[in-house]
Amino acid sequence: MPCTLGSGAPGRLSDTARRGASLVRVTAPFERGTDGPKVIVVGVDGSDSSLRAAAYASGLARRQHALLAVVYVQPLVTAGAAMGAPIADTTGEIAEGLVAEIRAAAERVRDIWTVRWEFHTLRGEAYSGLVKAADELKADAVVVGASESAGHRIVGSVAVRLVKAGRWPVTVVP
């Protein structure tokens, strides 16, 4: 919130300030209830850490009265598709399973508390998909689970890449 404290050289009090006059002048109205996130994006892939991230993000969304955008990025596995494996069907089944699990969890706590949520599914690489979803949804925060893959220590996890992007506050749930 901008305010005016007086004029003069930095670090020196003006004549008016030395006389004890009140110099704080508010130039913008105080906004009540606008702090905190409006949209929280959480990435899920069915792993235990991603489901813990979803539980954590749902608590944040409930307390902040924010929209919880649950995002599943269906991986594109071209090698399996080239061999004739029904990859699209498998990742679609995973997405349907995740939606069913989220709905069941929301139903279990319906009488205790409610969370506004949406489920989004995209195809592609996890990092790019989460960035696209967070941009399109105008996310205020992103929550992801810690990587359970040993290979991510070398290549870098989705969480580390999101943090390095520096576009949103990122919470990594163990």
Side-chain angles (χ1 to χ4, degrees), residues 5-20 23:
L5 295 175
S7 59
R12 293 182 46 187
L13 293 175
S14 67
D15 290 335
T16 310
R18 278 188 290 242
R19 287 186 292 238
L23 294 175

Side-chain angles (χ1 to χ4, degrees), residues 33-42 56-69 115-116 137-143 168-171:
T34 59
D35 290 342
K38 299 291 182 222
V39 178
I40 299 171
V41 168
V42 61
Y56 180 84
S58 68
L60 287 176
R62 176 185 60 83
R63 288 186 295 278
Q64 296 291 330
H65 305 287
L67 172 67
L68 178 63
V115 173
R116 291 181 308 121
L137 295 167
K138 296 180 177 34
D140 297 302
V142 177
V143 180
W168 321 269
V170 177
T171 301

Side-chain angles (χ1 to χ4, degrees), residues 5 16 23 35 45 49 54 82 91 95 117 119 122 127-128 130 139 151 155-156 162 166 169:
L5 295 175
T16 310
L23 294 175
D35 290 342
D45 61 5
S49 66
T91 58
W117 63 278
F119 185 83
L122 304 155
Y127 168 77
S128 301
L130 287 172
V155 177
L162 288 167

Side-chain angles (χ1 to χ4, degrees), residues 36-106:
K38 299 291 182 222
V39 178
I40 299 171
V41 168
V42 61
V44 295
D45 61 5
S47 66
D48 288 340
S49 66
S50 78
L51 296 177
R52 284 191 297 272
Y56 180 84
S58 68
L60 287 176
R62 176 185 60 83
R63 288 186 295 278
Q64 296 291 330
H65 305 287
L67 172 67
L68 178 63
V70 182
V71 178
Y72 170 61
V73 182
Q74 297 180 23
L76 296 176
V77 185
T78 56
M83 292 194 236
I87 301 300
D89 293 342
T90 303
T91 58
E93 290 171 10
I94 292 170
E96 290 172 13
L98 288 170
V99 170
E101 193 168 337
I102 293 164
R103 280 199 177 110

Side-chain angles (χ1 to χ4, degrees), residues 19 24 44 71 78 93 106 113 125 135 144 148 153 170 173:
R19 287 186 292 238
V24 176
V44 295
V71 178
T78 56
E93 290 171 10
W113 51 268
E125 191 264 327
D135 282 344
V144 292
E148 295 179 353
R153 291 186 200 129
V170 177
V173 178

Side-chain angles (χ1 to χ4, degrees), residues 141-168:
V142 177
V143 180
V144 292
S147 176
E148 295 179 353
S149 171
H152 286 161
R153 291 186 200 129
I154 299 166
V155 177
S157 69
V158 171
V160 169
R161 292 170 66 193
L162 288 167
V163 169
K164 285 183 178 181
R167 293 161 69 177
W168 321 269

